[in-house]
Amino acid sequence: YEIKSRLYYWNAAIDMGRAHPIFGIGYAMFDPSFWDYALAQQQSEMGPYYYDVLPAVAGGSPQHVHNEYLEVFGEQGYFGLTTLVALMMFFLYFGYRAVMRLSEPDRAFEALCFFGALVMILVDAAFGFPWRLPVSLMITMLVMALMYDLIHPQSRDAAHWP
């Protein structure tokens, strides 16, 4: 039921995004709005497919979509999803270019590790909700900050520090 229930949540988030395409239904509104969209799913042609999922999810609260991208789409619409994708594409594109231009093996390996960590975080976000957990969000921000330092290296000269 775990995979089917996630598909159920994902479909609900997609329906929310379609119903409110520009700005979504509002931040953190997936959980309170879920059952309205679940009822609409049950009444659709896909309803019988999810019939056996209802006992597993009934009486509970999904809290999150278990997919950061769909949660952003449902709660913040195309505006939020476009902003998120643009931010991630910035770090992927320029991070990759930074990895490729480094000639020092130690620095290139460090850059490759940060780039790999970012890719892993982005893949994990497709199946979970890491940015809704403070520790995971802090790790994501740390990796992005270290990647930014690779993309736009700053002088480490002591005379420039305040």
Short mmCIF file of all heavy atoms in Angstrom, two decimals, residues 27-71:
data_model
loop_
_atom_site.label_atom_id
_atom_site.label_comp_id
_atom_site.label_asym_id
_atom_site.label_seq_id
_atom_site.Cartn_x
_atom_site.Cartn_y
_atom_site.Cartn_z
N TYR A 27 0.96 27.75 1.02
CA TYR A 27 1.99 26.99 1.71
C TYR A 27 1.41 26.20 2.88
O TYR A 27 0.60 26.72 3.64
CB TYR A 27 3.09 27.94 2.21
CG TYR A 27 4.22 27.21 2.88
CD1 TYR A 27 5.15 26.49 2.13
CD2 TYR A 27 4.35 27.21 4.26
CE1 TYR A 27 6.17 25.80 2.74
CE2 TYR A 27 5.37 26.52 4.88
CZ TYR A 27 6.29 25.82 4.10
OH TYR A 27 7.30 25.13 4.72
N ALA A 28 1.81 24.95 2.99
CA ALA A 28 1.39 24.02 4.06
C ALA A 28 -0.10 23.72 4.04
O ALA A 28 -0.68 23.33 5.05
CB ALA A 28 1.82 24.55 5.43
N MET A 29 -0.75 23.88 2.89
CA MET A 29 -2.18 23.61 2.80
C MET A 29 -2.50 22.26 2.18
O MET A 29 -3.67 21.92 2.00
CB MET A 29 -2.87 24.72 1.99
CG MET A 29 -2.90 26.05 2.70
SD MET A 29 -3.74 25.98 4.29
CE MET A 29 -5.40 25.64 3.79
N PHE A 30 -1.48 21.46 1.84
CA PHE A 30 -1.76 20.14 1.27
C PHE A 30 -2.51 19.28 2.27
O PHE A 30 -3.53 18.69 1.94
CB PHE A 30 -0.46 19.43 0.86
CG PHE A 30 -0.69 18.00 0.46
CD1 PHE A 30 -1.21 17.71 -0.79
CD2 PHE A 30 -0.44 16.96 1.32
CE1 PHE A 30 -1.45 16.40 -1.18
CE2 PHE A 30 -0.67 15.65 0.96
CZ PHE A 30 -1.19 15.37 -0.30
N ASP A 31 -2.02 19.20 3.49
CA ASP A 31 -2.63 18.33 4.49
C ASP A 31 -4.08 18.70 4.78
O ASP A 31 -4.95 17.83 4.74
CB ASP A 31 -1.78 18.34 5.76
CG ASP A 31 -2.20 17.26 6.73
OD1 ASP A 31 -2.48 16.14 6.28
OD2 ASP A 31 -2.23 17.52 7.94
N PRO A 32 -4.40 19.98 5.05
CA PRO A 32 -5.80 20.30 5.33
C PRO A 32 -6.73 20.13 4.12
O PRO A 32 -7.92 19.91 4.27
CB PRO A 32 -5.79 21.76 5.76
CG PRO A 32 -4.39 22.18 5.89
CD PRO A 32 -3.53 21.13 5.29
N SER A 33 -6.18 20.24 2.92
CA SER A 33 -7.00 20.15 1.71
C SER A 33 -7.04 18.75 1.11
O SER A 33 -7.80 18.51 0.16
CB SER A 33 -6.46 21.11 0.65
OG SER A 33 -6.39 22.41 1.14
N PHE A 34 -6.26 17.84 1.63
CA PHE A 34 -6.11 16.52 1.01
C PHE A 34 -7.43 15.79 0.84
O PHE A 34 -7.72 15.25 -0.23
CB PHE A 34 -5.13 15.66 1.81
CG PHE A 34 -5.11 14.24 1.36
CD1 PHE A 34 -4.49 13.90 0.16
CD2 PHE A 34 -5.71 13.25 2.10
CE1 PHE A 34 -4.47 12.59 -0.28
CE2 PHE A 34 -5.70 11.93 1.67
CZ PHE A 34 -5.07 11.60 0.48
N TRP A 35 -8.26 15.74 1.88
CA TRP A 35 -9.47 14.90 1.82
C TRP A 35 -10.48 15.41 0.80
O TRP A 35 -11.24 14.63 0.23
CB TRP A 35 -10.08 14.74 3.20
CG TRP A 35 -9.18 13.87 4.04
CD1 TRP A 35 -8.42 14.25 5.10
CD2 TRP A 35 -8.92 12.47 3.84
NE1 TRP A 35 -7.69 13.19 5.57
CE2 TRP A 35 -7.99 12.08 4.82
CE3 TRP A 35 -9.37 11.52 2.94
CZ2 TRP A 35 -7.51 10.78 4.92
CZ3 TRP A 35 -8.88 10.22 3.03
CH2 TRP A 35 -7.97 9.86 4.01
N ASP A 36 -10.51 16.71 0.55
CA ASP A 36 -11.39 17.23 -0.51
C ASP A 36 -10.98 16.68 -1.87
O ASP A 36 -11.83 16.26 -2.66
CB ASP A 36 -11.35 18.76 -0.55
CG ASP A 36 -11.89 19.39 0.72
OD1 ASP A 36 -12.74 18.75 1.38
OD2 ASP A 36 -11.47 20.51 1.04
N TYR A 37 -9.69 16.64 -2.12
CA TYR A 37 -9.19 16.12 -3.39
C TYR A 37 -9.24 14.59 -3.43
O TYR A 37 -9.41 14.01 -4.49
CB TYR A 37 -7.79 16.65 -3.66
CG TYR A 37 -7.81 18.12 -3.99
CD1 TYR A 37 -7.71 19.08 -3.00
CD2 TYR A 37 -7.99 18.54 -5.30
CE1 TYR A 37 -7.76 20.43 -3.30
CE2 TYR A 37 -8.04 19.89 -5.61
CZ TYR A 37 -7.93 20.82 -4.61
OH TYR A 37 -7.99 22.16 -4.92
N ALA A 38 -9.11 13.96 -2.28
CA ALA A 38 -9.23 12.49 -2.23
C ALA A 38 -10.64 12.06 -2.60
O ALA A 38 -10.83 11.07 -3.31
CB ALA A 38 -8.86 11.97 -0.84
N LEU A 39 -11.63 12.81 -2.14
CA LEU A 39 -13.02 12.50 -2.48
C LEU A 39 -13.23 12.64 -3.99
O LEU A 39 -13.88 11.79 -4.62
CB LEU A 39 -13.97 13.42 -1.72
CG LEU A 39 -15.45 13.26 -2.03
CD1 LEU A 39 -15.93 11.86 -1.67
CD2 LEU A 39 -16.27 14.30 -1.29
N ALA A 40 -12.68 13.68 -4.57
CA ALA A 40 -12.80 13.88 -6.02
C ALA A 40 -12.11 12.74 -6.77
O ALA A 40 -12.61 12.28 -7.80
CB ALA A 40 -12.20 15.22 -6.42
N GLN A 41 -10.99 12.25 -6.25
CA GLN A 41 -10.31 11.11 -6.89
C GLN A 41 -11.16 9.85 -6.82
O GLN A 41 -11.21 9.08 -7.77
CB GLN A 41 -8.97 10.85 -6.22
CG GLN A 41 -7.87 11.74 -6.67
CD GLN A 41 -6.54 11.32 -6.09
OE1 GLN A 41 -6.37 10.21 -5.60
NE2 GLN A 41 -5.58 12.22 -6.14
N GLN A 42 -11.82 9.66 -5.69
CA GLN A 42 -12.66 8.46 -5.54
C GLN A 42 -13.84 8.49 -6.50
O GLN A 42 -14.32 7.45 -6.93
CB GLN A 42 -13.16 8.32 -4.10
CG GLN A 42 -12.09 7.89 -3.14
CD GLN A 42 -11.49 6.55 -3.53
OE1 GLN A 42 -12.20 5.61 -3.85
NE2 GLN A 42 -10.18 6.46 -3.52
N GLN A 43 -14.30 9.67 -6.83
CA GLN A 43 -15.44 9.79 -7.73
C GLN A 43 -15.02 9.82 -9.20
O GLN A 43 -15.87 9.81 -10.07
CB GLN A 43 -16.23 11.06 -7.38
CG GLN A 43 -16.86 10.97 -6.01
CD GLN A 43 -17.45 12.29 -5.55
OE1 GLN A 43 -17.21 13.35 -6.13
NE2 GLN A 43 -18.24 12.24 -4.48
N SER A 44 -13.71 9.81 -9.46
CA SER A 44 -13.23 9.82 -10.84
C SER A 44 -13.13 8.40 -11.37
O SER A 44 -13.40 7.43 -10.66
CB SER A 44 -11.87 10.51 -10.92
OG SER A 44 -10.87 9.68 -10.36
N GLU A 45 -12.69 8.28 -12.63
CA GLU A 45 -12.54 6.95 -13.23
C GLU A 45 -11.41 6.16 -12.59
O GLU A 45 -11.36 4.94 -12.70
CB GLU A 45 -12.32 7.05 -14.75
CG GLU A 45 -11.02 7.70 -15.17
CD GLU A 45 -11.08 9.22 -15.23
OE1 GLU A 45 -12.16 9.81 -15.04
OE2 GLU A 45 -10.02 9.83 -15.45
N MET A 46 -10.49 6.83 -11.90
CA MET A 46 -9.40 6.14 -11.20
C MET A 46 -9.81 5.67 -9.81
O MET A 46 -9.04 4.98 -9.15
CB MET A 46 -8.18 7.06 -11.08
CG MET A 46 -7.47 7.33 -12.40
SD MET A 46 -6.80 5.84 -13.14
CE MET A 46 -5.52 5.43 -12.00
N GLY A 47 -10.99 6.03 -9.36
CA GLY A 47 -11.45 5.66 -8.03
C GLY A 47 -11.34 4.19 -7.70
O GLY A 47 -10.81 3.83 -6.64
N PRO A 48 -11.81 3.28 -8.56
CA PRO A 48 -11.69 1.86 -8.24
C PRO A 48 -10.25 1.38 -8.07
O PRO A 48 -9.98 0.47 -7.29
CB PRO A 48 -12.35 1.17 -9.44
CG PRO A 48 -13.27 2.19 -10.00
CD PRO A 48 -12.62 3.52 -9.74
N TYR A 49 -9.31 2.00 -8.77
CA TYR A 49 -7.90 1.62 -8.65
C TYR A 49 -7.39 1.87 -7.24
O TYR A 49 -6.59 1.11 -6.71
CB TYR A 49 -7.06 2.37 -9.67
CG TYR A 49 -5.59 2.10 -9.56
CD1 TYR A 49 -5.05 0.89 -10.01
CD2 TYR A 49 -4.72 3.04 -9.00
CE1 TYR A 49 -3.70 0.64 -9.90
CE2 TYR A 49 -3.38 2.78 -8.89
CZ TYR A 49 -2.87 1.58 -9.34
OH TYR A 49 -1.52 1.31 -9.23
N TYR A 50 -7.87 2.94 -6.62
CA TYR A 50 -7.42 3.32 -5.28
C TYR A 50 -8.34 2.81 -4.18
O TYR A 50 -8.15 3.14 -3.02
CB TYR A 50 -7.29 4.83 -5.17
CG TYR A 50 -6.19 5.40 -6.01
CD1 TYR A 50 -6.47 6.18 -7.12
CD2 TYR A 50 -4.86 5.14 -5.71
CE1 TYR A 50 -5.45 6.69 -7.90
CE2 TYR A 50 -3.84 5.65 -6.48
CZ TYR A 50 -4.14 6.43 -7.58
OH TYR A 50 -3.13 6.92 -8.34
N TYR A 51 -9.31 1.98 -4.51
CA TYR A 51 -10.28 1.53 -3.51
C TYR A 51 -9.59 0.83 -2.34
O TYR A 51 -9.97 1.03 -1.18
CB TYR A 51 -11.30 0.59 -4.16
CG TYR A 51 -12.38 0.14 -3.23
CD1 TYR A 51 -13.38 1.02 -2.85
CD2 TYR A 51 -12.37 -1.14 -2.70
CE1 TYR A 51 -14.37 0.62 -1.97
CE2 TYR A 51 -13.36 -1.54 -1.82
CZ TYR A 51 -14.35 -0.67 -1.46
OH TYR A 51 -15.32 -1.07 -0.59
N ASP A 52 -8.59 0.00 -2.61
CA ASP A 52 -7.92 -0.72 -1.53
C ASP A 52 -6.94 0.15 -0.74
O ASP A 52 -6.45 -0.25 0.31
CB ASP A 52 -7.20 -1.95 -2.08
CG ASP A 52 -6.17 -1.61 -3.14
OD1 ASP A 52 -6.30 -0.54 -3.76
OD2 ASP A 52 -5.25 -2.41 -3.35
N VAL A 53 -6.66 1.36 -1.21
CA VAL A 53 -5.76 2.26 -0.49
C VAL A 53 -6.49 3.00 0.63
O VAL A 53 -5.90 3.32 1.66
CB VAL A 53 -5.12 3.28 -1.47
CG1 VAL A 53 -4.26 4.28 -0.73
CG2 VAL A 53 -4.32 2.56 -2.51
N LEU A 54 -7.78 3.21 0.45
CA LEU A 54 -8.53 4.00 1.43
C LEU A 54 -8.41 3.48 2.86
O LEU A 54 -8.21 4.29 3.77
CB LEU A 54 -10.00 4.10 1.02
CG LEU A 54 -10.32 5.17 0.01
CD1 LEU A 54 -11.80 5.19 -0.29
CD2 LEU A 54 -9.86 6.52 0.49
N PRO A 55 -8.53 2.18 3.11
CA PRO A 55 -8.37 1.74 4.50
C PRO A 55 -6.99 2.07 5.09
O PRO A 55 -6.86 2.33 6.27
CB PRO A 55 -8.58 0.23 4.44
CG PRO A 55 -9.37 -0.01 3.20
CD PRO A 55 -8.95 1.07 2.25
N ALA A 56 -5.97 2.06 4.24
CA ALA A 56 -4.61 2.34 4.72
C ALA A 56 -4.42 3.82 5.05
O ALA A 56 -3.66 4.16 5.96
CB ALA A 56 -3.58 1.90 3.68
N VAL A 57 -5.09 4.72 4.33
CA VAL A 57 -4.90 6.15 4.57
C VAL A 57 -6.03 6.78 5.38
O VAL A 57 -5.89 7.90 5.86
CB VAL A 57 -4.70 6.93 3.24
CG1 VAL A 57 -3.48 6.46 2.52
CG2 VAL A 57 -5.93 6.87 2.38
N ALA A 58 -7.14 6.07 5.53
CA ALA A 58 -8.29 6.62 6.25
C ALA A 58 -7.96 6.82 7.73
O ALA A 58 -7.23 6.05 8.33
CB ALA A 58 -9.49 5.70 6.10
N GLY A 59 -8.51 7.85 8.27
CA GLY A 59 -8.33 8.14 9.69
C GLY A 59 -7.01 8.80 10.00
O GLY A 59 -6.75 9.18 11.12
N GLY A 60 -6.18 8.93 9.01
CA GLY A 60 -4.87 9.56 9.21
C GLY A 60 -4.77 10.86 8.44
O GLY A 60 -5.72 11.33 7.84
N SER A 61 -3.59 11.36 8.47
CA SER A 61 -3.32 12.60 7.77
C SER A 61 -2.02 12.41 7.00
O SER A 61 -1.02 12.02 7.57
CB SER A 61 -3.16 13.71 8.80
OG SER A 61 -2.75 14.89 8.18
N PRO A 62 -2.02 12.67 5.71
CA PRO A 62 -0.80 12.43 4.94
C PRO A 62 0.33 13.38 5.30
O PRO A 62 1.49 13.05 5.15
CB PRO A 62 -1.24 12.62 3.49
CG PRO A 62 -2.43 13.46 3.56
CD PRO A 62 -3.11 13.13 4.85
N GLN A 63 0.01 14.56 5.78
CA GLN A 63 0.94 15.62 6.14
C GLN A 63 1.74 16.15 4.96
O GLN A 63 1.83 17.34 4.77
CB GLN A 63 1.88 15.18 7.26
CG GLN A 63 1.16 14.89 8.54
CD GLN A 63 2.09 14.47 9.65
OE1 GLN A 63 3.27 14.22 9.44
NE2 GLN A 63 1.56 14.38 10.85
N HIS A 64 2.36 15.26 4.17
CA HIS A 64 3.17 15.70 3.04
C HIS A 64 2.90 14.82 1.84
O HIS A 64 2.42 13.70 1.97
CB HIS A 64 4.66 15.67 3.38
CG HIS A 64 5.04 16.58 4.49
ND1 HIS A 64 5.07 17.95 4.35
CD2 HIS A 64 5.37 16.33 5.78
CE1 HIS A 64 5.42 18.50 5.50
NE2 HIS A 64 5.60 17.54 6.39
N VAL A 65 3.28 15.30 0.66
CA VAL A 65 3.03 14.59 -0.59
C VAL A 65 4.03 13.45 -0.80
O VAL A 65 3.77 12.53 -1.54
CB VAL A 65 3.11 15.58 -1.78
CG1 VAL A 65 2.87 14.89 -3.10
CG2 VAL A 65 2.12 16.70 -1.60
N HIS A 66 5.16 13.51 -0.12
CA HIS A 66 6.26 12.56 -0.33
C HIS A 66 6.88 12.76 -1.70
O HIS A 66 7.35 11.81 -2.33
CB HIS A 66 5.82 11.11 -0.13
CG HIS A 66 5.35 10.83 1.27
ND1 HIS A 66 6.23 10.50 2.27
CD2 HIS A 66 4.13 10.86 1.82
CE1 HIS A 66 5.55 10.33 3.40
NE2 HIS A 66 4.27 10.55 3.15
N ASN A 67 6.86 13.98 -2.18
CA ASN A 67 7.53 14.41 -3.40
C ASN A 67 7.58 15.93 -3.31
O ASN A 67 6.55 16.59 -3.45
CB ASN A 67 6.77 13.96 -4.64
CG ASN A 67 7.46 14.33 -5.93
OD1 ASN A 67 7.95 15.45 -6.08
ND2 ASN A 67 7.48 13.41 -6.87
N GLU A 68 8.77 16.46 -3.07
CA GLU A 68 8.90 17.91 -2.87
C GLU A 68 8.40 18.71 -4.06
O GLU A 68 7.77 19.75 -3.90
CB GLU A 68 10.35 18.29 -2.59
CG GLU A 68 10.82 17.93 -1.21
CD GLU A 68 10.28 18.83 -0.12
OE1 GLU A 68 9.58 19.82 -0.40
OE2 GLU A 68 10.56 18.53 1.05
N TYR A 69 8.68 18.23 -5.25
CA TYR A 69 8.32 18.99 -6.45
C TYR A 69 6.80 19.07 -6.61
O TYR A 69 6.27 20.13 -6.93
CB TYR A 69 8.97 18.35 -7.68
CG TYR A 69 10.45 18.14 -7.48
CD1 TYR A 69 10.99 16.88 -7.29
CD2 TYR A 69 11.33 19.23 -7.45
CE1 TYR A 69 12.34 16.69 -7.08
CE2 TYR A 69 12.68 19.05 -7.24
CZ TYR A 69 13.18 17.77 -7.05
OH TYR A 69 14.52 17.60 -6.83
N LEU A 70 6.12 17.95 -6.38
CA LEU A 70 4.66 17.96 -6.48
C LEU A 70 4.03 18.74 -5.33
O LEU A 70 2.99 19.38 -5.50
CB LEU A 70 4.11 16.54 -6.53
CG LEU A 70 4.45 15.76 -7.80
CD1 LEU A 70 3.89 14.35 -7.72
CD2 LEU A 70 3.94 16.47 -9.03
N GLU A 71 4.66 18.69 -4.16
CA GLU A 71 4.14 19.47 -3.04
C GLU A 71 4.26 20.97 -3.33
O GLU A 71 3.34 21.74 -3.08
CB GLU A 71 4.87 19.12 -1.74
CG GLU A 71 4.25 19.76 -0.54
CD GLU A 71 4.45 18.97 0.74
OE1 GLU A 71 4.98 17.86 0.71
OE2 GLU A 71 4.04 19.51 1.78
#
